[in-house]
Amino acid sequence: MSISMLAGAERPDHPLSRYASTMHIFCAGCGYGAIAQAVTRVYAERKLDKMKYVFFTGIGCHSALPTLLPGYTVMTLHGRLPAVVTGAKLANPELKPICFCGDGDLLAIGTNHFVHACRRNLDMVLILLHNNVYGMTGGQAAPTTPTEYKGTTAPYGYLEKPFDGCELAIASGATFVSRWTSAHIKQFMNTLNKAIDHRGLSFIEVVTTCPTYFGRKNKMPEPIDLFRWIRDSAVSIKKAEGMSEEELEGKFLVGEFQKTDRPDLNTIYKEIIKRAQGD
Amino acid sequence: MSEDKAIRTGTHVITGNDAMVEGAIAAGCRFFAGYPITPQNEVPEMFSVRLPEVGGNFIQMEDEIGSIAAVVGASLAGAKAMTSTSGPGFSLMQEYISQAAQSEIPLVVGNVQRTGPGSGIVSVPHHGDVMQARYGGNGDYEIIAVAPASAQESFDLTVEAFNLAEKWRTPVIILSDAMLGHCREKVVIQSAEEFKKNIIERKIGPRKGFKPFTYEENGELIVPPPLQLGTHAFPFWLPSVSHNEFGIPILDTVPKGSFKMVKRLCDKIIKNEEKITMTESYYLDDADVAVIAYGLPARTGLRAVREAREQGIKAGLLRLKTIWPFAQTAIEKVAESVKSIVVPEINMGQLFIEIDRVAAKKGVSAHLVIQISKLHEPHEILSKIKEVA
């Protein structure tokens, strides 16, 4: 099916129907399809209002998600998503944006906007799709590429220390922070449900597979190799408590790290208007 | 209550920067995102006071890139929105100005220009961003730019900028400068009732059959109402990549589809040049020499023209209130009736390139009077008028 066949088509009433009627353009073994399906299922199960629960994407492989997503989607520029959502959310507080960003998107070019959106506790669900690599541009090393792994711009191995998106989000002031992987879809859906109900910035990092670039460059050419690598590297928060530092070397934690409550940006701005109008 | 506070009817003595804020709020602007940079700091400062009074939101963003992105988000969500900056910040905003032109998102950018290049001198006037306003971003697109010449016009043309943005669904740039921004002058604001007649309100597209982007019908370009997130007047996917008039990304017909989109975006502005541009003529009926200017040099130019008239030289002035789209028709008309054209600019000759092109076509000589980082002295323009008369 060609993408242009969507032109002028009536919007399907059933949230899953677009998912069923359009193909996705992701590589074999990519985790994005599974994530889109999980999000779509939550959207459908909860019968979310399309006028309110809108999607935003940045630039990356995930920019192709809208053909699968069940609601209106705004594609922003590379890294600018948190800033665009800041404006949209202040202009229309009724919106509850569900946003997708890539690791290059949010942790490289858009770090500034990301950090400030967390600080402001912007009321949005922010899903970071972490595939260790710049997929769309051809497998360049990302700020999330693990040390000693290879990319097309790191032929001798990436020697820099990678970013931990969740730690950055917590330090910046995000109020609900969690990490899952494309091998933890049930848990991810559970957290997403909570995130939709949470008022404030809900950050969910999803570690996912990129067999085409990350796997191929790092001796894991089959999708199942990478899937196993992710599954084996993920350690739950509870299990990690009993593990030594050496045992945790090269692993990453999964689970819900933080859930706190403080006024979100819209609540703060209501207060400013109240003060200005002297009520 | 809020509407009364939005239009401050009466006579005021305020700076150009403050007049810009009052004009924006009177025109219905309810969202401002900005970042401090001299010499436009009074703009966000005044917005931070005024917007919450009328129920709007002011936010100071982390940088100019974030400011324009937030303005795009606010405009998509249904607010009339604006940002302001100066030269270096304006460069940072080009990425999203180009995108807003492509996605046809109405918004206003105030650029209180200062000297460049680089950090330049922060609080002296310079018109170095004239070409950047038009050609600053990537790709081919057209925007609208207005150039106020007084505090009153900083008010009036800001109102007009919002109207133009709504009507043509494009970013509109206000090219002010450090001198105009800081100079205190008289500003008269009409009664709210009179004023509101001239305001174009934000419209929402129809529920059925809404075409989200400018399209051609019977050979005419139709500009539909702006997109609004949270309503049906929105494509199911607003892509930032090239798209057709339905908002469907152009993937399978790259050369043809992309050509159509770029042509549509440029034609929308260029072919409607006569409808968009605003000019004012002084003493041009019998003039031999025409001064063509915009912004503050137009005021200096008018004095030089009057002095030339006193000395028996038939001089006149064409003042451009809009710089982009280029007022081709108006300037051609002037070039047909005069012997020579004098162009005073506070830069090395940016709009002069365009004016000279038209003059050459009509066989008229055009002469540039440059000034850097300061206003012209009237005698500098006068001596050029005498030289070429």
Side-chain angles (χ1 to χ4, degrees):
Chain A
M1 175 182 283
S2 152
I3 205 161
S4 56
M5 283 178 72
L6 293 163
E10 283 295 307
R11 270 176 212 100
D13 284 335
H14 192 282
L16 284 175
S17 59
R18 185 187 293 145
Y19 182 69
S21 68
T22 58
M23 63 168 199
H24 71 67
I25 57 171
F26 299 118
C27 305
C30 173
Y32 283 16
I35 294 161
Q37 194 199 47
V39 173
T40 306
R41 281 187 183 282
V42 170
Y43 206 94
E45 278 161 19
R46 297 183 57 138
K47 297 191 174 68
L48 296 180
D49 181 1
K50 280 185 197 175
M51 294 298 145
K52 196 175 161 194
Y53 294 88
V54 293
F55 292 101
F56 284 80
T57 70
I59 299 281
C61 287
H62 68 281
S63 300
L65 281 172
T67 57
L68 311 181
L69 297 173
Y72 294 89
T73 310
V74 180
M75 178 182 179
T76 64
L77 287 179
H78 196 32
R80 312 297 169 223
L81 182 143
V84 175
V85 176
T86 305
K89 186 70 192 162
L90 280 177
N92 183 357
E94 293 297 308
L95 299 176
K96 175 81 180 187
I98 301 172
C99 310
F100 296 92
C101 275
D103 37 10
D105 211 26
L106 205 60
L107 297 179
I109 192 167
T111 321
N112 195 12
H113 310 302
F114 170 48
V115 166
H116 284 273
C118 292
R119 179 178 72 81
R120 294 185 177 116
N121 198 23
L122 188 61
D123 183 24
M124 69 195 273
V125 180
L126 183 52
I127 301 168
L128 167 64
L129 301 170
H130 170 338
N131 60 359
N132 300 292
V133 80
Y134 282 83
M136 195 171 70
T137 46
Q140 293 83 2
T144 45
T145 304
T147 313
E148 294 293 355
Y149 280 75
K150 286 179 180 168
T152 52
T153 51
Y156 309 110
Y158 191 69
L159 300 186
E160 297 170 19
K161 181 186 180 295
F163 246 137
D164 184 320
C166 290
E167 279 182 16
L168 184 62
I170 293 168
S172 312
T175 44
F176 184 25
V177 179
S178 59
R179 180 188 289 124
W180 294 110
T181 77
S182 52
H184 295 83
I185 290 296
K186 280 270 177 205
Q187 292 91 328
F188 165 65
M189 283 169 72
N190 191 14
T191 298
L192 181 62
N193 261 310
K194 289 186 205 166
I196 288 169
D197 294 329
H198 179 73
R199 192 165 172 88
L201 196 138
S202 310
F203 177 75
I204 313 173
E205 179 176 317
V206 188
V207 183
T208 171
T209 51
C210 176
T212 305
Y213 290 113
F214 185 70
R216 192 158 53 88
K217 284 279 167 191
N218 291 291
K219 298 189 178 128
M220 294 181 278
E222 297 297 326
I224 194 69
D225 300 335
L226 208 49
F227 192 80
R228 285 193 184 118
W229 177 77
I230 285 180
R231 192 194 57 194
D232 297 343
S233 306
V235 180
S236 75
I237 300 169
K238 208 169 177 193
K239 198 176 163 197
E241 279 170 7
M243 288 168 75
S244 69
E245 226 167 85
E246 280 125 45
E247 285 173 313
L248 282 170
E249 186 72 36
K251 312 268 187 201
F252 55 83
L253 300 185
V254 292
E256 290 173 8
F257 297 96
Q258 169 154 313
K259 193 167 190 309
T260 53
D261 274 314
R262 70 182 169 89
D264 71 305
L265 189 70
N266 286 87
T267 311
I268 294 166
Y269 272 73
K270 259 189 209 156
E271 172 64 20
I272 291 175
I273 291 174
K274 211 171 135 193
R275 287 187 191 182
Q277 297 185 347
D279 301 339
Chain B
M1 185 198 89
S2 60
E3 284 312 303
D4 299 337
K5 282 191 177 174
I7 301 166
R8 284 186 161 167
T9 304
T11 306
H12 312 268
V13 178
I14 52 177
T15 63
N17 280 346
D18 287 349
M20 196 192 278
V21 178
E22 291 303 333
I25 290 174
C29 174
R30 290 297 176 271
F31 182 86
F32 179 95
Y35 186 80
I37 184 170
T38 308
Q40 62 86 49
N41 295 318
E42 298 77 13
V43 179
E45 281 169 6
M46 191 50 112
F47 264 116
S48 74
V49 175
R50 292 281 287 127
L51 271 178
E53 285 181 355
V54 296
N57 286 313
F58 160 87
I59 187 164
Q60 185 171 318
M61 292 299 287
E62 50 273 13
D63 55 24
E64 285 90 348
I65 303 171
S67 304
I68 185 91
V71 165
V72 164
S75 182
L76 284 177
K80 284 189 180 179
M82 169 174 184
T83 180
S84 80
T85 187
S86 188
F90 192 55
S91 307
L92 288 178
M93 288 182 180
Q94 294 302 334
E95 174 190 52
Y96 241 123
I97 291 176
S98 162
Q99 185 58 54
Q102 190 245 37
S103 298
E104 303 185 56
I105 300 168
L107 56 90
V108 175
V109 180
N111 179 2
V112 186
Q113 297 169 95
R114 70 189 211 185
T115 300
S119 289
I121 306 169
V122 299
S123 54
V124 293
H126 195 73
H127 293 170
D129 300 343
V130 169
M131 280 299 178
Q132 193 189 185
R134 184 182 187 183
Y135 292 121
N138 60 306
D140 276 317
Y141 62 91
E142 293 289 339
I143 48 91
I144 298 174
V146 297
S150 63
Q152 178 71 52
E153 235 178 31
S154 292
F155 179 91
D156 295 339
L157 285 185
T158 302
V159 175
E160 203 48 52
F162 275 93
N163 284 345
L164 289 167
E166 293 299 316
K167 189 168 178 191
W168 300 102
R169 266 185 68 179
T170 178
V172 179
I173 292 155
I174 304 167
L175 288 170
S176 175
D177 65 52
M179 182 65 82
L180 186 58
H182 289 152
C183 192
R184 245 167 235 279
E185 288 185 294
K186 187 169 93 168
V187 174
V188 183
I189 303 175
Q190 298 166 288
S191 72
E193 210 170 77
E194 274 303 301
F195 189 84
K196 278 180 191 160
K197 287 178 196 162
N198 302 322
I199 297 296
I200 300 178
E201 299 292 349
R202 175 64 55 95
K203 291 185 186 71
I204 300 180
R207 196 186 162 91
K208 286 248 168 189
F210 177 61
K211 281 190 195 175
F213 300 101
T214 297
Y215 57 93
E216 214 177 300
E217 205 171 79
N218 305 329
E220 288 251 339
L221 282 176
I222 312 286
V223 185
L227 307 177
Q228 191 157 334
L229 201 55
T231 71
H232 287 91
F234 209 81
F236 90 89
W237 180 11
L238 173 64
S240 55
V241 293
S242 297
H243 51 78
N244 67 12
E245 55 263 56
F246 299 102
I248 305 298
I250 296 159
L251 297 177
D252 41 359
T253 54
V254 172
K256 212 172 135 200
S258 177
F259 175 79
K260 271 185 175 171
M261 187 194 79
V262 171
K263 189 100 175 29
R264 212 164 57 223
L265 289 176
C266 293
D267 281 356
K268 180 176 80 171
I269 306 295
I270 294 298
K271 290 207 167 161
N272 291 303
E273 171 254 311
E274 279 183 83
K275 287 183 196 159
I276 297 169
T277 51
M278 292 177 280
T279 57
E280 249 175 35
S281 305
Y282 300 86
Y283 314 108
L284 273 174
D285 293 342
D286 63 341
D288 293 330
V289 184
V291 176
I292 301 180
Y294 54 88
L296 288 176
R299 287 167 75 174
T300 323
L302 184 58
R303 174 155 162 195
V305 164
R306 284 183 178 139
E307 283 177 13
R309 287 262 165 189
E310 278 167 22
Q311 295 176 25
I313 302 166
K314 285 182 178 170
L317 173 82
L318 180 73
R319 186 165 80 83
L320 307 176
K321 290 161 88 170
T322 49
I323 303 185
W324 307 117
F326 181 64
Q328 180 96 11
T329 317
I331 291 171
E332 272 180 6
K333 206 177 139 218
V334 171
E336 276 162 12
S337 66
V338 297
K339 288 179 194 139
S340 45
I341 291 171
V342 173
V343 184
E345 278 194 276
I346 313 178
N347 55 41
M348 293 300 286
Q350 297 200 3
L351 200 65
F352 178 75
I353 300 167
E354 286 280 35
I355 296 171
D356 191 38
R357 175 177 61 79
V358 174
K361 206 167 87 181
K362 298 284 172 191
V364 177
S365 63
H367 308 270
L368 177 65
V369 188
I370 62 165
Q371 192 50 275
I372 301 294
S373 305
K374 69 187 268 290
L375 303 187
H376 295 82
E377 301 283 341
H379 70 80
E380 291 168 346
I381 301 171
L382 180 61
S383 58
K384 184 59 88 178
I385 293 173
K386 282 176 164 172
E387 192 187 312
V388 302

